[in-house]
Amino acid sequence: MKRIGYGIIGVIFILMLCMAGGGSAAASSHEAADAPAKQAKPSIVLSYSIFFPPTHAQCIAGTQWAEEIEKRSNGYVKINVFPGGTLTAAPDCYDGVIQGISDIGMSCFAYTRGRFPVMEALDLPLGYPSGMVATRAANDFYDAVKPKELDDIKLLYIHAHGPGLLHTKKPVQNLEELKGMKIRSTGLSAKVVEALGGVAVAMPQPGTYEALQKGVVDGTFAPIETLKGWKQGEVIKATTECTSIGYTTAMFVVMNKGKWNQLPENIQKIFKEVSGEYIDVHGRVWDEADAEGREFTLELGNAIVPLTDEENARWKAAVAPVIGDYVKEVSEKGIDGAANVTTLRDVIGKYDQ
């Protein structure tokens, strides 16, 4: 009889537990619709090629993006990050994603000039005031135009640095003082230098410090974060705050289209959600780096030189042909360059409040 009594008590106890846990079971069922159960081993393993070195704030942000996807998928997805161009070099990153060398890639549209004629509009000297504005504007621009030139991949999101400014070994307050100065620049910024009357000297960032130190160049066009990040504040004396013509460099985060299409719908949803959130993460990281660069150069005793309203107008007028040339060049390819520029100015204005 005791055994029967214990059995009945046990059954009642189990039933009570089930009734008490009913809400949790329902919640778990609901969560399972959005993400797989915790995995002992990941079911999807992806590679991610990033051209930034591992210590760079943007590489760290990209790595955190990958970790957040792993977390929200409960370990269903694992993303292995390869920083510093170790898997694919920066100019080869986009094609590397198409070819499946990496599943995901982060690099710059500008590293393959002419490859992305629509997206190149992002890098024009349109007066980006900050990295956050540039990053938000870049994503809005893509959403507005959806260029076919990116149809061979899945674009996850874009980010872009703060305004490219003029940093020189002696203060520059007007176009006359800039005329004839040798200024380190690359790609589109070289056209900006020439339009302003300077002499463009093509040079990557790693060689800029020594070139400034030895007098090979008189200055450099770059976001102010380089003054700390690349220690260039030690070899310049002034920054001309020409944000009215500030250009940016847009960077993509893209995924192999085949791999994207193979992802379960709930996993695609996680990728979209996290990517949407990380637009502002990257924008904020760029602005924090710019703030650190500004503080660093001021601590060294360097000057920040603002342009007068009159001089700002002169600089904007000087670079207008750079924008006009873009419109003309892409129009010959059947692209409405004027519409692209108008769209960009609208979205920059939307966020520059």
Side-chain angles (χ1 to χ4, degrees):
M1 291 293 292
K2 287 183 179 180
R3 290 179 181 175
I4 295 172
Y6 290 149
I8 293 171
I9 292 170
V11 169
I12 292 171
F13 181 69
I14 291 169
L15 287 171
M16 289 175 67
L17 284 177
C18 289
M19 291 173 67
S24 297
S28 297
S29 176
H30 176 71
E31 290 170 2
D34 292 327
K38 180 67 177 177
Q39 301 287 301
K41 295 176 69 176
S43 294
I44 298 173
V45 179
L46 303 169
S47 57
Y48 186 4
S49 176
I50 299 179
F51 81 104
F52 288 109
T55 55
H56 195 286
Q58 293 300 331
C59 183
I60 293 171
T63 302
Q64 290 171 343
W65 169 88
E67 292 171 347
E68 186 63 22
I69 288 174
E70 294 172 6
K71 177 183 175 183
R72 294 194 197 181
S73 71
N74 289 327
Y76 189 82
V77 177
K78 170 65 178 174
I79 302 175
N80 295 316
V81 176
F82 295 84
T86 52
L87 189 54
T88 51
D92 303 322
C93 184
Y94 188 90
D95 281 335
V97 170
I98 294 174
Q99 296 163 9
I101 298 172
S102 68
D103 300 309
I104 307 167
M106 179 197 295
S107 192
C108 302
F109 292 111
Y111 285 160
T112 47
R113 300 300 296 180
R115 173 75 177 272
F116 308 104
V118 174
M119 301 307 289
E120 281 177 11
L122 289 169
D123 296 1
L124 291 169
L126 296 171
Y128 293 96
S130 68
M132 182 66 82
V133 170
T135 295
R136 289 177 172 177
N139 285 278
D140 277 15
F141 175 71
Y142 171 78
D143 288 340
V145 299
K146 287 290 195 306
K148 292 182 179 179
E149 63 198 40
L150 297 180
D151 281 354
D152 47 10
I153 50 80
K154 169 62 181 178
L155 180 76
L156 297 172
Y157 64 98
I158 305 168
H159 61 96
H161 68 60
L165 304 177
L166 177 65
H167 315 285
T168 50
K169 299 182 71 172
K170 63 179 183 179
V172 172
Q173 304 177 77
N174 53 55
L175 292 178
E176 286 73 23
E177 292 175 348
L178 177 57
K179 187 174 178 62
M181 290 180 68
K182 294 175 291 183
I183 307 297
R184 183 224 69 98
S185 50
T186 56
L188 187 62
S189 65
K191 293 185 178 181
V192 173
V193 168
E194 291 166 356
L196 295 172
V199 177
V201 180
M203 187 180 301
Q205 286 293 0
T208 303
Y209 185 102
E210 185 177 1
L212 286 164
Q213 186 179 48
K214 294 183 176 181
V216 175
V217 294
D218 305 308
T220 176
F221 245 111
I224 201 168
E225 63 95 5
T226 59
L227 299 188
K228 181 179 181 181
W230 296 88
K231 303 299 182 185
Q232 291 167 13
E234 297 173 352
V235 286
I236 59 103
K237 291 298 181 184
T239 293
T240 302
E241 203 157 30
C242 49
T243 51
S244 61
I245 63 161
Y247 70 92
T248 191
T249 302
M251 283 149 254
F252 56 75
V253 178
V254 298
M255 185 171 182
N256 179 275
K257 205 164 188 178
K259 283 295 179 71
W260 171 260
N261 290 333
Q262 291 171 10
L263 295 179
E265 186 176 341
N266 58 336
I267 298 299
Q268 288 183 350
K269 180 182 177 183
I270 292 171
F271 270 81
K272 290 176 181 177
E273 289 175 349
V274 176
S275 295
E277 294 166 14
Y278 266 70
I279 290 171
D280 276 9
V281 170
H282 283 272
R284 185 165 55 250
V285 168
W286 280 120
D287 287 345
E288 289 171 353
D290 275 354
E292 291 174 4
R294 179 179 292 267
E295 182 180 359
F296 180 75
T297 195
L298 289 174
E299 287 176 351
L300 292 174
N302 297 330
I304 304 290
V305 181
L307 294 178
T308 64
D309 290 344
E310 180 183 359
E311 198 62 27
N312 259 316
R314 293 181 69 203
W315 288 49
K316 287 181 72 174
V319 302
V322 175
I323 300 170
D325 287 347
Y326 164 79
V327 171
K328 181 180 178 181
E329 289 171 8
V330 299
S331 295
E332 293 172 353
K333 300 176 182 178
I335 297 168
D336 193 344
N340 289 345
V341 172
T342 298
T343 299
L344 267 173
R345 283 182 165 144
D346 287 345
V347 293
I348 291 170
K350 171 184 172 182
Y351 294 114
D352 186 16
Q353 303 294 335

